[in-house]
Amino acid sequence: MNAFVQKGISAHLIPMNPDFISKEGLDTFFDVDTLLISLPPRLTKNEPGFYVKQIKAVIQEINQSRIRDIIFISSTGIYPELNRIVVENDVKTPEESESPEMVAAENLLTALRPDRNVTILRLGGLLGYNRIPGKYVQGKKDMTTGSIPVNYIHRDDAVGIITTIFENGIVNETFNIVSPIHTTRLEVYETSCAQFGWEAPTFIEPIEKPDFKVISGEKLDKHYKYDFKFPDPLQFYYSLEDVGA
């Protein structure tokens, strides 16, 4: 929180478990016109329903506030492996999703329409700076997913897209946020390992071709013209020291 304060940002630490533990500071925190909700679901660490309860607690405060514009950060992890290009309408209900609880959270927020403008952003795998794909697989043997296309987004582009939406107006839509180039995991892992001198993983051809998905970002492009800084995951900027400003 001190990092925010040092940059002149009014910061509030408001714990949730899953409801707000204390009401202290909520009036000030929600006294805004626009709200960005980026609340990691931690679905594997919390009991079922925990995340939905958190979102309901946030919505309760929204309903008592003057907030009119909302951006909610979701994930392309909600899509099942359909072995094709997938678009936003492929998942609209929890039953269609690989992450039912996250889609339930999305739907709770979109139910605030039309009284409020709610944009849902489904982000791809977030990389850049010290989030380096090769770091997590260095030295691994006989991986079988080398041919799978990636659905990544560089952190700078994620921030750039969110800023663009703020500047041009929040709309009642759901958008996938991914880099337009979908190279393979093998290429991404080998390239990032080589950049830092790590042992690259090895790959074998599986007996059955692994399932995959290619996330389409065309809908965003039709609404907001955004020029990607890092359209190609093979050219993402990484740094072991610099985690970004």
Side-chain angles (χ1 to χ4, degrees):
M1 192 165 70
N2 289 337
F4 290 106
V5 174
Q6 290 172 3
K7 293 182 179 294
I9 300 171
S10 177
H12 303 262
L13 182 60
I14 306 176
M16 303 183 72
N17 188 36
D19 297 325
F20 292 105
I21 294 175
S22 169
K23 292 289 185 179
E24 184 178 354
L26 290 184
D27 289 346
T28 302
F29 183 81
F30 286 97
D31 186 21
V32 292
D33 297 316
T34 304
L35 181 67
L36 170 67
I37 304 172
S38 180
L39 190 61
R42 305 185 187 279
L43 298 177
T44 60
K45 296 183 178 181
N46 295 319
E47 62 183 19
F50 187 94
Y51 188 62
V52 167
K53 290 178 181 177
Q54 286 184 307
I55 297 302
K56 286 181 177 179
V58 172
I59 289 173
Q60 184 176 349
E61 298 302 322
I62 291 173
N63 285 333
Q64 299 173 15
S65 75
R66 61 185 175 92
I67 293 169
R68 286 294 172 264
D69 295 313
I70 300 165
I71 290 179
F72 175 63
I73 304 300
S74 184
S75 168
T76 56
I78 66 161
Y79 295 107
E81 309 287 343
L82 297 175
N83 297 318
R84 60 172 172 82
I85 295 173
V86 297
V87 298
E88 288 81 355
N89 281 339
D90 281 320
V91 171
K92 293 181 287 186
T93 66
E95 294 75 20
E96 297 170 320
S97 175
E98 287 293 294
S99 181
E101 197 160 339
M102 180 156 274
V103 177
E106 289 184 359
N107 291 345
L108 285 170
L109 286 158
T110 57
L112 296 173
R113 302 168 179 167
D115 295 333
R116 293 172 173 84
N117 298 314
V118 181
T119 290
I120 307 295
L121 301 183
R122 295 171 175 171
L123 266 66
L126 189 65
L127 296 176
Y129 297 90
N130 65 346
R131 295 176 67 99
I132 308 168
K135 180 169 61 175
Y136 309 108
V137 297
Q138 54 182 307
K140 287 193 174 183
K141 305 297 181 184
D142 298 336
M143 297 184 68
T144 59
T145 56
S147 64
I148 291 179
V150 300
N151 300 286
Y152 291 152
I153 184 72
H154 192 278
R155 198 199 68 177
D156 287 350
D157 281 319
V159 172
I161 289 169
I162 292 169
T163 301
T164 298
I165 292 173
F166 276 135
E167 292 174 346
N168 289 274
I170 293 170
V171 295
N172 288 322
E173 294 286 352
T174 297
F175 299 108
N176 295 328
I177 307 299
V178 292
S179 296
I181 297 176
H182 303 269
T183 189
T184 66
R185 286 189 182 179
L186 183 152
E187 293 172 292
V188 170
Y189 292 157
E190 289 187 340
T191 298
S192 59
C193 281
Q195 181 178 348
F196 294 96
W198 297 327
E199 179 186 357
T202 62
F203 296 87
I204 60 173
E205 191 68 28
I207 297 175
E208 295 184 8
K209 187 175 181 180
D211 293 329
F212 71 94
K213 58 193 173 191
V214 176
I215 309 297
S216 170
E218 289 187 7
K219 182 179 177 182
L220 176 80
D221 190 55
K222 292 177 181 178
H223 282 77
Y224 303 97
K225 295 299 180 183
Y226 177 77
D227 187 16
F228 280 83
K229 297 178 181 178
F230 301 101
D232 186 350
L234 295 182
Q235 298 178 1
F236 279 9
Y237 171 76
Y238 299 112
S239 171
L240 291 175
E241 302 297 331
D242 183 8
V243 297

